[in-house]
Amino acid sequence: MPTADTGQSESLFDEAEAAATTAAAPLAVRMRPRTLDEVIGQRHLTGTGTPFRKLIDNDAPMSLLLWGPPGTGKTTLASVVSQVTRRRFVELSAVSAGVKDVRAAVDAARRTLGMSGAQTVLFVDEVHRFSKTQQDALLPAVENRWVSFIGATTENPFFSVVSPLLSRSLLLTLQPLSDDDVREVIRRALEEPRPRGLGGAVTLDADAAEHLVRLAGGDARRALTYLEAAALGLPEQGRIDVQALEKAVDRAAVRYDRDGDQHYDVISAFIKSMRGSDVDAALHYLARMIAAGEDPRFIARRLIVHASEDVGMADPSALQTAVAAAQAVEFVGLPEARINLAQAVIHISLAPKSNAVIKAIGAADADVRNGLIGAVPAHLRDAHYPGAGKVGHGEGYLYPHDFDDGVVPQRYAPDSVTDRRYYQPSRHGLEARVAERAERIRAILDQADQADHAGQAGQAEDTSEHRSEKEQA
């Protein structure tokens, strides 16, 4: 019958079109897992008994937010959900889509659901780029389960996703792939038969494989993209060595092992160069880490720590610079963020140095661990609840703002540590001024301790006299 022939023709045409599309797709797209068992990494999400796995296995309606760095499998998980649950897969990019596109996708999903009962997975990539209005447009579809919504974001959803959408979604956090995970991704791509994988057509040298893992930085998509670029144009059974890989990705192979001695040696030298105020050496090690594919967020974290550990109050703005560089890494990314990291390295390297901050918290922590806790003085305790006055909480507290200097003789520390001096400022940079102020403040506060000691001595004397009178009587 004509209808049957037409249907068969359309079916054959669709299959041929799908096969052609697959063959032309990048290797990273072709190698996307088709089942949860094929997913590499993220076992905390895909393992048996996890909330995400239960949703999939029970074919339950869902609304998910996938939060993680690029290349960790957000799009892959959304696609797997669609395939395993046999739902239509509609993908929108928040970079180019607007409210009109969102509503059109939702309307089409509603029509399909009403006509055939088929459900739709609506995947919104980079959902954090949607405005509040655009995100609000998703709420009816999520609330009424017209679609199974899956949003992907590389930014903290607590700041980038509106509360109503966040509260209606299960938040799943994806972690960067381990080096072993990336190695498995590469192995599968090399061995998987064509047209999906490379089908053993090329071989990858061990050194080149390790360099590729370093360059990937936990990003499976990047690893497969570089691998495909290196394999392009090679003859059958061609070999990819480090030189071929370098040429493909246009990046030098720096001798640097992220998991071995080189990793620890370089980061150690980097920190010690900044501590020693050698700005040129520090910049060398920064460039070396970036060229080797070190995670820029790791570098930014070390800068933040170093700004307080080795500069501290000698130049408090060093911490602000380091935090700003870390934010720039998140907002801008490499390669441009290397400029922001370099600015922070220069600032920290040339800043006056003081380790008074880390010594102060270390000394305080040691006392706490040794049991020097002590009761909070009664006048400092919370006095805002009914009945606090009856037990003397808050009684006698002196409000510093009521005094001219903003500082009043008053005891704050528990008895067990009242004589401790944890913060011992240096005389370097701005900390010299901080030291002078700290001395003046402590002199004022010490008056309260002296008064307490005098009062305690008076009470002891009164008690002694009382005992003498009692004995005479």
Side-chain angles (χ1 to χ4, degrees), residues 461-473:
E461 186 176 344
D462 291 344
T463 302
S464 177
E465 291 177 356
H466 181 69
R467 284 176 180 171
S468 297
E469 293 173 356
K470 192 171 183 180
E471 289 172 356
Q472 292 173 4

Side-chain angles (χ1 to χ4, degrees), residues 354-384:
S354 169
N355 67 346
V357 171
I358 188 173
K359 289 174 66 177
I361 188 59
D365 181 64
D367 275 357
V368 170
R369 292 178 181 274
N370 289 329
L372 295 178
I373 305 295
V376 174
H379 62 282
L380 298 182
R381 298 182 188 180
D382 182 19
H384 291 88

Side-chain angles (χ1 to χ4, degrees), residues 373-377 411-420 449 452 456:
I373 305 295
V376 174
R411 190 165 61 87
Y412 293 96
D415 290 338
S416 57
V417 294
T418 188
D419 60 342
R420 288 289 199 269
D449 293 331
D452 284 346
Q456 292 171 4

Side-chain angles (χ1 to χ4, degrees), residues 102-295:
V102 171
R103 289 176 177 163
V106 170
D107 289 343
R110 290 182 66 185
R111 287 195 302 270
T112 302
L113 183 63
M115 295 174 61
S116 64
Q119 299 183 51
T120 299
V121 170
L122 176 59
F123 175 65
V124 180
D125 195 16
E126 299 191 78
V127 67
H128 58 272
R129 293 180 179 269
F130 267 169
S131 66
K132 182 179 183 299
T133 301
Q134 290 170 313
Q135 292 185 34
D136 285 342
L138 293 165
L139 292 176
V142 173
E143 185 75 30
N144 295 292
R145 294 182 174 174
W146 296 330
V147 299
S148 290
F149 167 71
I150 302 179
T153 177
T154 56
E155 297 189 6
N156 191 330
F158 291 100
F159 298 106
S160 59
V161 177
V162 295
S163 296
L165 185 57
L166 184 60
S167 65
R168 289 166 172 79
S169 304
L170 175 64
L171 176 60
L172 303 178
T173 303
L174 284 74
Q175 303 297 334
L177 298 185
S178 69
D179 285 352
D180 284 341
D181 291 334
V182 176
R183 290 186 186 99
E184 178 62 16
V185 168
I186 295 169
R187 185 194 65 78
R188 286 191 188 180
L190 288 169
E191 297 177 0
E192 182 75 16
R194 290 174 170 173
R196 191 176 181 220
L198 298 178
V202 296
T203 58
L204 185 64
D205 285 357
D207 290 345
E210 289 307 303
H211 186 43
L212 180 56
V213 169
R214 288 195 296 269
L215 293 177
D219 186 328
R221 185 188 305 115
R222 184 186 300 168
L224 293 177
T225 299
Y226 290 169
L227 176 62
E228 185 175 31
L232 190 64
L234 286 180
E236 196 73 16
Q237 301 304 313
R239 182 173 63 87
I240 301 174
D241 56 14
V242 174
Q243 184 177 2
L245 185 61
E246 286 177 4
K247 186 176 180 181
V249 302
D250 192 26
R251 187 172 298 188
V254 179
R255 184 175 176 270
Y256 178 75
D257 180 1
R258 292 175 58 204
D259 283 332
D261 292 340
Q262 282 290 313
H263 168 79
Y264 297 107
D265 289 346
V266 171
I267 192 64
S268 176
F270 174 60
I271 292 170
K272 289 172 181 173
S273 296
M274 289 191 292
R275 180 181 296 143
S277 301
D278 190 333
V279 63
D280 300 306
L283 287 169
H284 165 78
Y285 291 119
L286 172 66
R288 191 162 161 178
M289 287 187 290
I290 292 174
E294 182 63 82
D295 186 346

Side-chain angles (χ1 to χ4, degrees), residues 295-413:
D295 186 346
R297 294 169 299 178
F298 169 77
I299 301 172
R301 287 194 295 269
R302 298 312 308 166
L303 290 175
I304 291 174
V305 172
H306 184 70
S308 290
E309 180 179 352
D310 289 302
V311 177
M313 295 302 294
D315 182 0
S317 66
L319 178 59
Q320 299 171 4
T321 301
V323 171
Q327 292 175 331
V329 167
E330 295 292 339
F331 291 142
V332 179
L334 292 177
E336 290 86 353
R338 76 189 194 285
I339 305 170
N340 310 110
L341 291 172
Q343 180 177 342
V345 168
I346 293 169
H347 186 151
I348 293 171
S349 296
L350 299 181
K353 303 299 188 293
S354 169
N355 67 346
V357 171
I358 188 173
K359 289 174 66 177
I361 188 59
D365 181 64
D367 275 357
V368 170
R369 292 178 181 274
N370 289 329
L372 295 178
I373 305 295
V376 174
H379 62 282
L380 298 182
R381 298 182 188 180
D382 182 19
H384 291 88
Y385 62 92
K390 295 180 181 180
V391 292
H393 289 187
E395 184 177 342
Y397 172 66
L398 302 177
Y399 188 55
H401 295 290
D402 290 340
F403 297 82
D404 292 339
D405 292 334
V407 182
V408 58
Q410 183 169 234
R411 190 165 61 87
Y412 293 96

